[in-house]
Amino acid sequence: VTTTITIQDAIDQYSDLIAHVAWRIVQDREETRDICQETFLRFCAARDRDETIHSPKAWLCRIALNLAVDTAR
């Protein structure tokens, strides 16, 4: 990860945005929570793999959007 953002900072800064992205697609509280949790778990995994993430905000939104679309199918 090329950014110095910590996992806690990412959660603090982007959890509302990620929840909004997920909610707009699934419109279910429990599914939204699950998508948020999975999004941040994937962020942790990417950091552990030293994956390059230039924009955490964009990366997190894309993961949340993909998960929400998959859930809505």
Side-chain angles (χ1 to χ4, degrees), residues 33-67:
R33 279 192 206 144
D34 290 346
I35 290 166
C36 290
Q37 184 176 30
E38 182 63 24
T39 298
F40 287 109
L41 286 172
R42 290 186 184 194
F43 182 74
C44 293
R47 285 180 54 100
D48 290 346
R49 290 188 310 269
D50 291 328
E51 188 174 313
T52 300
I53 300 173
H54 295 289
S55 173
K57 181 180 178 181
W59 191 94
L60 289 164
C61 284
R62 174 49 62 185
I63 297 301
L65 179 63
N66 290 346
L67 288 168

